[in-house]
């Protein structure tokens, strides 16, 4: 009998986390206290004022109807006000902003809105795995956009071959970056917009960590660049900045043509988010951002502790300016997978092997700082006592 499942889904790359997940389960069954620094979702609660607004809106039966397809006006106006205040960028809430059921949903749906089968998409390597899998599911061809640590994980557009430049239809960027924690200043966005103009391609900037920054660094928006709206859209999310992962609320802003196309795809798939959630999210965006600062202070403290612990075992990483990740090289003699397994077996701590984020991630690992600080302290203690000297690890080929 032929398969009931499409060749495309059958061909989806195997989930690299599965080996580690199985090991985690086995260790937990043996009574090991496993600390998960793999998962990239905040442990901190959604701020109270947002929950209170949700409760209030839940009591109004007017809110139980379908939302408009592009989301409720209050939410889109709050996004516009946020862009004006944060970046001095003007946006028309009707044509340049669209509500999303989390930015991941929007990222997955915008690809078929922009490419045809066989079109090529430039994908950051290493990068957030959804860009790659969603491109593949949309029938696109993934082309690696190499991010070199020697260039602070910024693309070098002049090094892309002429054939790649001619073939590409779309390019993804993501700063502050997952998994690299790399940040950029406006010059990189300026180059990206110039590149897009020269080759007439679309640019998608994923700004999921746009507000998660340290040491007074302010992450820029690609829309601050003149002419960006001719080629680019930017995705934003309340998941990481307001600890709202499970609420599923985000937005996309920028180029009207792309936003209209995404809206067309989405209106055939969903009917936007539950109105009380959109209204509570508007409350968050209209706030004074004190809670965002408080969260960032918590991540900053965790970040410094973990960087010190890594230094103690000989792994030196420059302090990142954004995201809640540490991206670090594995000690010599290990592959990413081998090191992640060693840390799990000997310290009971889950880290993500870098190769889960693309071929160039090999040789690195990612630590997520999104566990309660006491748990992180415990993880720090265990990592400090890892012995990397005596283990003469022979890599198996
Ligand atoms: C978490 C994350 C997202 C998805 O966020 P949601 O709005 O919760 O869907 C998108 N991009 C990156 C890089 C992320 O890390």
């Amino acid at each position: 009998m032929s398969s009931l499942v499409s060749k495309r889904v059958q061909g989806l790359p195997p989930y690299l986390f599965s080996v580690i997940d199985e090991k985690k389960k086995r260790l937990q069954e043996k009574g090991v206290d496993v600390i998960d620094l793999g998962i990239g979702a905040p442990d901190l609660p959604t701020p109270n004022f947002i929950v209170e607004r949700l409760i209030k809106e839940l009591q109004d039966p007017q809110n139980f109807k379908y939302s408009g397809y592009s989301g409720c006006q209050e939410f889109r106006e709050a996004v516009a006000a946020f862009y004006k205040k944060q970046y001095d960028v003007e946006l028309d809430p009707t044509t340049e902003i669209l509500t999303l059921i989390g930015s991941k949903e929007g990222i997955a749906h915008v690809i078929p809105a922009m490419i045809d089968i066989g079109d090529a998409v430039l994908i950051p390597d290493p990068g957030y795995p959804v860009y790659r899998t969603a491109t593949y599911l949309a029938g696109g061809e993934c082309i690696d956009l190499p991010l070199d640590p020697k260039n602070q994980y910024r693309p070098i557009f002049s090094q892309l071959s002429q054939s790649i430049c001619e073939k590409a239809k779309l390019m993804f960027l993501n700063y502050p970056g997952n998994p690299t924690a790399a940040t950029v200043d406006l010059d990189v966005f300026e180059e990206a917009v110039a590149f897009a103009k020269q080759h007439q391609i679309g640019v998608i900037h994923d700004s999921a960590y746009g507000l998660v920054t340290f040491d007074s660094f302010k992450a820029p928006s690609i829309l601050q660049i003149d002419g960006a709206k001719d080629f680019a859209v930017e995705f934003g999310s309340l998941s990481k900045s307001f600890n709202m992962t499970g609420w599923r609320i985000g937005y996309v802003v920028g180029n009207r043509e792309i936003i209209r196309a995404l809206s067309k795809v989405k209106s055939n798939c969903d009917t936007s988010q539950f109105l009380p959630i959109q209204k509570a999210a508007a409350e968050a965006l209209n706030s004074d951002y004190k809670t965002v600062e408080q969260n960032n202070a918590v991540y900053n403290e965790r970040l410094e502790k973990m960087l010190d612990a890594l230094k103690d075992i000989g792994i030196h990483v420059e302090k990142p300016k954004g995201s809640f990740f540490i991206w670090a090289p594995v000690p010599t003699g290990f592959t990413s997978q081998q090191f992640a397994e060693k840390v799990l077996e000997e310290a009971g701590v889950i880290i993500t092997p870098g190769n889960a984020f693309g071929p160039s991630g090999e040789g690195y690992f990612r630590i997520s700082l999104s566990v309660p600080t006491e748990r992180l302290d415990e993880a720090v203690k265990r990592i400090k006592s890892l012995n990397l000297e005596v283990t003469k690890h022979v890599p198996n080929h």
Side-chain angles (χ1 to χ4, degrees):
M1 190 180 140
S2 64
S3 173
L4 297 173
V5 175
S6 70
K7 288 196 182 70
R8 250 183 238 180
V9 168
Q10 287 180 47
L12 262 186
Y15 203 47
L16 239 149
F17 297 82
S18 57
V19 180
I20 297 227
D21 256 3
E22 247 163 58
K23 275 227 163 90
K24 177 185 179 180
K25 253 185 249 142
R26 248 184 291 136
L27 285 172
Q28 280 175 329
E29 277 162 15
K30 274 199 276 174
V32 178
D33 173 29
V34 179
I35 303 175
D36 195 343
L37 304 183
I39 196 145
D43 59 298
L44 301 165
T46 306
N48 239 327
F49 73 93
I50 305 171
V51 176
E52 273 161 21
R53 177 74 191 272
L54 175 75
I55 292 170
K56 179 168 161 256
E57 297 302 333
L58 278 173
Q59 276 148 1
D60 181 357
Q62 287 299 324
N63 285 332
F64 300 163
K65 300 177 298 186
Y66 283 126
S67 157
Y69 286 111
S70 12
C72 82
Q73 191 68 17
E74 183 185 345
F75 178 70
R76 282 178 291 132
E77 277 173 12
V79 174
F82 163 67
Y83 264 78
K84 180 68 194 161
K85 191 169 60 177
Q86 183 77 3
Y87 307 116
D88 198 22
V89 167
E90 309 268 356
L91 293 169
D92 172 11
T94 310
T95 57
E96 295 177 326
I97 301 177
L98 186 64
T99 302
L100 302 172
I101 309 173
S103 60
K104 191 188 206 174
E105 174 267 303
I107 289 166
H109 282 136
V110 81
I111 300 172
M114 294 179 76
I115 67 159
D116 290 302
I117 307 279
D119 281 346
V121 180
L122 283 165
I123 296 181
D125 172 30
Y128 182 53
V130 174
Y131 311 140
R132 199 173 288 269
T133 49
T135 296
Y136 167 81
L137 284 174
E141 183 195 342
C142 301
I143 297 184
D144 291 330
L145 177 63
L147 303 182
D148 190 338
K150 289 192 208 77
N151 197 44
Q152 289 86 47
Y153 295 104
R154 294 156 189 187
I156 305 175
F157 296 111
S158 59
Q159 283 179 2
L160 293 172
S161 75
Q162 194 58 32
S163 70
I164 284 178
C165 294
E166 277 162 20
K167 218 158 88 174
K169 187 92 200 285
L170 173 61
M171 167 171 69
F172 275 95
L173 294 173
N174 167 222
Y175 297 100
N178 178 5
T180 63
T183 52
V184 295
D185 296 312
L186 276 174
D187 58 327
V188 172
F189 289 149
E190 196 152 3
E191 281 173 31
V193 171
F195 178 81
K197 190 169 176 187
Q198 186 187 350
H199 300 285
Q200 297 291 302
I201 67 172
V203 180
I204 294 177
H205 179 237
D206 179 356
S207 184
Y209 299 91
L211 291 176
V212 186
T213 57
F214 313 116
D215 300 328
S216 71
F217 174 72
K218 197 173 151 189
S221 160
I222 195 168
L223 297 184
Q224 285 171 268
I225 303 300
D226 279 343
K229 276 187 198 172
D230 293 340
F231 300 95
V233 287
E234 188 160 74
F235 283 80
S237 170
L238 283 86
S239 290
K240 318 292 161 65
S241 43
F242 290 97
N243 307 325
M244 291 173 72
T245 48
W247 296 56
R248 311 310 303 131
I249 183 83
Y251 51 83
V252 58
V253 299
N255 181 275
R256 292 169 192 225
E257 201 185 342
I258 300 173
I259 286 183
R260 201 181 317 123
L262 173 57
S263 182
K264 204 164 158 187
V265 171
K266 275 174 61 60
S267 65
N268 285 288
C269 300
D270 65 67
T271 314
S272 199
Q273 183 49 282
F274 188 39
L275 283 165
I277 289 177
Q278 294 189 55
K279 291 178 183 182
E283 191 79 27
L285 290 175
N286 287 326
S287 74
D288 59 10
Y289 295 77
K290 284 238 165 62
T291 60
V292 176
E293 279 170 37
Q294 287 159 2
N295 293 340
N296 291 347
V298 172
Y299 293 133
N300 188 53
E301 189 200 334
R302 295 175 182 175
L303 176 59
E304 287 179 349
K305 275 184 190 171
M306 187 53 82
L307 289 176
D308 280 347
L310 292 176
K311 208 193 302 168
D312 278 1
I313 58 166
I315 299 173
H316 296 268
V317 183
E318 209 179 303
K319 186 182 175 189
K321 284 190 267 183
S323 86
F324 43 61
F325 301 116
I326 294 173
W327 179 251
V330 299
T332 2
F334 290 92
T335 66
S336 291
Q337 195 78 27
Q338 285 165 345
F339 185 63
E341 282 175 27
K342 179 186 170 77
V343 175
L344 180 55
E345 272 160 27
E346 292 176 21
V349 174
I350 296 181
I351 57 175
T352 310
N355 56 321
F357 303 100
S360 306
E362 180 50 54
Y364 288 81
F365 65 95
R366 189 192 77 175
I367 283 179
S368 168
L369 299 164
S370 51
V371 294
T373 307
E374 319 81 75
R375 295 295 281 162
L376 197 87
D377 287 341
E378 173 62 23
V380 159
K381 212 168 81 193
R382 296 188 201 168
I383 285 173
K384 277 183 179 173
S385 62
L386 271 180
N387 192 343
L388 301 172
E389 302 290 330
V390 279
T391 332
K392 279 278 170 271
H393 206 105
V394 184
N396 45 21
H397 294 283

